[in-house]
C-alpha cells in the first residue's frame, strides 16, 4: 500500500512537472517565433545540435550510476561533482577553440553562437549531483521546484532577450539563464555532501555508466540524425522550419509518451509477477493511448492551417505539410513507449536497444537521399518510415511475450 501511494504521489508530481514545463516551452516558442525569423531559429538550432552532439558523445553516465548506488551516496558525491565539473570545463574549452572550424565545415556564420552555447556545458557541469536524488527518495516537491523554476527562468529570459536582440543569440542566452538557475538551486535545495575524491569510486561508477554512454549516443543520432542532415544539406533557415514542425507535431504525443513511460513503468514493474494483470494493464494502456494520441493528432491536423498565421506568422506556413507527415511518427512513437515500459519492467531492456539500432540504421539509409530529392518533406518521411519499419517486429515481440 505504501509503494502504491508513493507511485500515485510520484505520478501526480511528475505529471505536474511535465505539464508545467511543456506549457512554458510551447508558450516560449510561440511567442519568440512571432519575433525571430525561421532562419535565426535555424542558426540557434545548429548551435544546439553541436552542443548536444558534444554533450552526448562524452556522456560519462556518472549521474545514472550515482543514482543507482544502493546506499551511502554521500561517499561518491565529491568524486561525481569534481569529474563532471572538469568535464564541463574541458568541453566548453573544446567547443570554444574549435567553433570556427565547425562553423566552416557545417554552417558558416555560427561560430559566435557555438561559443555562447559552450557556456551551457560549463555551468551545467558545476551543478550539485545530490539534487539528482530527489526522485529516488520521493522528494517530489523539491523535484518539482528543481525542474520547473529553471524552465520558467529559461522561458521568461528567452522572451525578454528576443525583444532586446531578436536573433538566434536570444534563444541561447535564455537557455543559459535556465542552466545557471538549475545549478544555483541544486545547492539551495540539497546539501553538498562532504567527501573525498576517489579514483576507486570513479572507476566503480564508470563501470556502470559506460553503458549509458553507448545508449545515449545511439539515442542522440536516432533522434537528431535527421536534424543534422537537414542543417547541412538545406541550411539553417530550413532547419528552423523543420525543428518547429517537429515541436508542433510531436509535443502532445511524444511528451505524452514520455509521461506515460514514467507513470506505467513502475506500475508494470510491480505487476511483473502477476502476468494476467500485467497483460490486461498493457492492453488498457495501449487502448487509452490510442484514443488520446489520435484525438490530439486529428485536432492538430484540422486546426493547424488556420492557426499558424495567427499564433505564429505567415513566415512559418511552410511547416504545415511537414507537421502533417510528422503526426504519424508521434502517434506511433507514443505506442512504442508503452511497449518499452513493459519490456523494461520485465527485464528485457535489450528490446529497446535493438529497436533504436534498427530505427537508426534505416534512418541513415533513407534520410540523405530523401532529403536531397524532396527537401523537408523527404526528411520527414525518412523519420516516419524508419519508425514504421520496426512496428511489426516490435509488437510481435510484445504480444508474443505475454503469457498464453
Amino acid at each position: 500500500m505504501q509503494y502504491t501511494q508513493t507511485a500515485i504521489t510520484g505520478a501526480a508530481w511528475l505529471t505536474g512537472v511535465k505539464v508545467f514545463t511543456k506549457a512554458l516551452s510551447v508558450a516560449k516558442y510561440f511567442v519568440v517565433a512571432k519575433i525571430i525569423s525561421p532562419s535565426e531559429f535555424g542558426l540557434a538550432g545548429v548551435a544546439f545540435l553541436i552542443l548536444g552532439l558534444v554533450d552526448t558523445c562524452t556522456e560519462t553516465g556518472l549521474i545514472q550510476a550515482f543514482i543507482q548506488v544502493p546506499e551511502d551516496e554521500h561517499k561518491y558525491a565529491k568524486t561525481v561533482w569534481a569529474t563532471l565539473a572538469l568535464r564541463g570545463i574541458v568541453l566548453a574549452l573544446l567547443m570554444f577553440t574549435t567553433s570556427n572550424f565547425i562553423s566552416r565545415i557545417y554552417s558558416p556564420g555560427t561560430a559566435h553562437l557555438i561559443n555562447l552555447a559552450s557556456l551551457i556545458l560549463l555551468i551545467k557541469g558545476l551543478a550539485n549531483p545530490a539534487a539528482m536524488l530527489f526522485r529516488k527518495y520521493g522528494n517530489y516537491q523539491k523535484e518539482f521546484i528543481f525542474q520547473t523554476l529553471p524552465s520558467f527562468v529559461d522561458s521568461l529570459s528567452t522572451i525578454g532577450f528576443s525583444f532586446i536582440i531578436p536573433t538566434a543569440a536570444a534563444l541561447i542566452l535564455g537557455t543559459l539563464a535556465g542552466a545557471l538557475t538549475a545549478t544555483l538551486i541544486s545547492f539551495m535545495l540539497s546539501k553538498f555532501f562532504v567527501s573525498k575524491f576517489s579514483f576507486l569510486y570513479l572507476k566503480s561508477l564508470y563501470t556502470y555508466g559506460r553503458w549509458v554512454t553507448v545508449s545515449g549516443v545511439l539515442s542522440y543520432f536516432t533522434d537528431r540524425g535527421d536534424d543534422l542532415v537537414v542543417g547541412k544539406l538545406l541550411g539553417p533557415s530550413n532547419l528552423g522550419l523543420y525543428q518547429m514542425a517537429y515541436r508542433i507535431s510531436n509535443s502532445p504525443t511524444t511528451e505524452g509518451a514520455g509521461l506515460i513511460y514514467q507513470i506505467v513503468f513502475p506500475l508494470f514493474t510491480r505487476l511483473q509477477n502477476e502476468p494476467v494483470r500485467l497483460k490486461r494493464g498493457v492492453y488498457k494502456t495501449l487502448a487509452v493511448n490510442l484514443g488520446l494520441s489520435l484525438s490530439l493528432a486529428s485536432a492538430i491536423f484540422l486546426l493547424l492551417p488556420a492557426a499558424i498565421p495567427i499564433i505564429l506568422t505567415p513566415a512559418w506556413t511552410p511547416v504545415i505539410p511537414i507537421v502533417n507527415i510528422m503526426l504519424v511518427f508521434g502517434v506511433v512513437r507514443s505506442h512504442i513507449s508503452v511497449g518499452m515500459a513493459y519490456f523494461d519492467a520485465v527485464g528485457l531492456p535489450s528490446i529497446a536497444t535493438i529497436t533504436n539500432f534498427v530505427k537508426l540504421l534505416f534512418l541513415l539509409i533513407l534520410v540523405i537521399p530523401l532529403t536531397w530529392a524532396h527537401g523537408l518533406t523527404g526528411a520527414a518521411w525518412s523519420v516516419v518510415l524508419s519508425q514504421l519499419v520496426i512496428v511489426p517486429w516490435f509488437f510481435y515481440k510484445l504480444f508474443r511475450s505475454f503469457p498464453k
Side-chain angles (χ1 to χ4, degrees):
M1 184 65 182
Q2 182 181 358
Y3 287 113
T4 303
Q5 185 61 43
T6 301
I8 294 173
T9 303
W13 279 106
L14 290 175
T15 301
V17 168
K18 207 75 172 179
V19 170
F20 188 81
T21 55
K22 179 47 60 176
L24 285 173
S25 178
V26 169
K28 174 183 76 174
Y29 281 112
F30 280 174
V31 171
V32 173
K34 295 181 76 70
I35 306 169
I36 297 179
S37 67
S39 61
E40 291 294 331
F41 258 89
L43 289 171
V46 170
F48 284 127
L49 281 176
I50 301 302
L51 173 69
L53 182 63
V54 172
D55 192 19
T56 303
C57 290
T58 59
E59 174 59 63
T60 61
L62 290 183
I63 289 295
Q64 290 85 343
F66 178 59
I67 295 172
Q68 185 265 345
V69 171
E71 56 185 13
D72 294 333
E73 298 96 340
H74 65 276
K75 296 190 301 185
Y76 299 85
K78 183 63 72 64
T79 301
V80 173
W81 180 82
T83 304
L84 294 180
L86 179 61
R87 171 182 174 270
I89 294 169
V90 171
L91 292 182
L93 288 173
L94 178 65
M95 285 184 64
F96 193 86
T97 55
T98 60
S99 60
N100 286 322
F101 173 73
I102 295 171
S103 176
R104 283 198 302 271
I105 65 172
Y106 187 76
S107 182
T110 56
H112 66 294
L113 298 173
I114 296 172
N115 290 338
L116 192 59
S118 69
L119 296 176
I120 297 173
L121 286 176
L122 176 64
I123 292 172
K124 286 174 60 178
L126 298 174
N128 182 3
M132 303 300 130
L133 301 175
F134 292 152
R135 193 177 299 181
K136 178 178 179 179
Y137 290 109
N139 294 322
Y140 294 113
Q141 293 92 336
K142 289 186 176 181
E143 175 73 8
F144 183 86
I145 296 171
F146 183 64
Q147 295 292 337
T148 58
L149 186 56
S151 180
F152 178 76
V153 172
D154 179 336
S155 299
L156 199 62
S157 299
T158 302
I159 293 171
F161 282 124
S162 298
F163 281 106
I164 300 171
I165 42 171
T167 65
L171 293 163
I172 301 174
L173 287 171
T175 304
L176 190 60
L180 180 59
T181 303
T183 296
L184 291 175
I185 65 174
S186 71
F187 287 96
M188 296 170 63
L189 294 175
S190 57
K191 65 178 182 179
F192 186 75
F193 295 115
V194 179
S195 58
K196 295 182 179 180
F197 181 89
S198 169
F199 282 106
L200 290 177
Y201 289 157
L202 179 61
K203 183 179 179 181
S204 66
L205 290 171
Y206 185 69
T207 300
Y208 172 91
R210 61 187 174 182
W211 296 108
V212 176
T213 305
V214 176
S215 177
V217 171
L218 186 63
S219 296
Y220 176 83
F221 283 104
T222 301
D223 292 337
R224 299 297 180 197
D226 53 325
D227 287 0
L228 289 167
V229 172
V230 169
K232 178 61 179 175
L233 294 184
L234 304 180
S237 183
N238 282 305
L239 177 61
L241 292 169
Y242 186 77
Q243 290 182 329
M244 181 61 77
Y246 181 89
R247 290 188 186 99
I248 295 171
S249 62
N250 280 270
S251 285
T253 50
T254 301
E255 291 300 325
L259 181 58
I260 287 171
Y261 181 93
Q262 290 179 3
I263 293 174
V264 302
F265 172 64
L267 299 177
F268 288 170
T269 300
R270 287 200 304 276
L271 293 174
Q272 60 183 302
N273 295 322
E274 301 179 60
V276 176
R277 291 184 64 194
L278 178 57
K279 177 181 178 180
R280 191 184 308 130
V282 173
Y283 277 126
K284 287 182 177 179
T285 306
L286 285 171
V288 171
N289 182 69
L290 178 63
L292 289 175
S293 59
L294 286 179
S295 298
L296 289 169
S298 299
I300 294 173
F301 179 81
L302 294 172
L303 297 175
L304 192 66
I308 285 290
I310 299 172
I311 298 176
L312 302 180
T313 65
W316 292 97
T317 52
V319 307
I320 295 173
I322 311 164
V323 170
N324 293 338
I325 297 170
M326 285 287 201
L327 286 172
V328 179
F329 170 76
V331 171
V332 173
R333 186 176 185 178
S334 67
H335 287 75
I336 288 179
S337 180
V338 177
M340 292 290 193
Y342 167 80
F343 286 126
D344 287 349
V346 299
L348 293 172
S350 58
I351 300 296
T353 303
I354 295 171
T355 300
N356 285 330
F357 179 77
V358 173
K359 180 185 172 185
L360 176 60
L361 180 64
F362 276 90
L363 181 64
L364 292 175
I365 293 171
L366 295 171
V367 65
I368 294 178
L370 285 179
T371 303
W372 191 265
H374 303 288
L376 294 179
T377 56
W381 274 117
S382 72
V383 173
V384 173
L385 293 174
S386 64
Q387 181 88 328
L388 289 176
V389 77
I390 64 173
V391 168
W393 173 83
F394 183 85
F395 283 100
Y396 169 77
K397 296 292 289 186
L398 176 64
F399 296 134
R400 191 182 180 191
S401 67
F402 291 149
K404 302 300 181 183

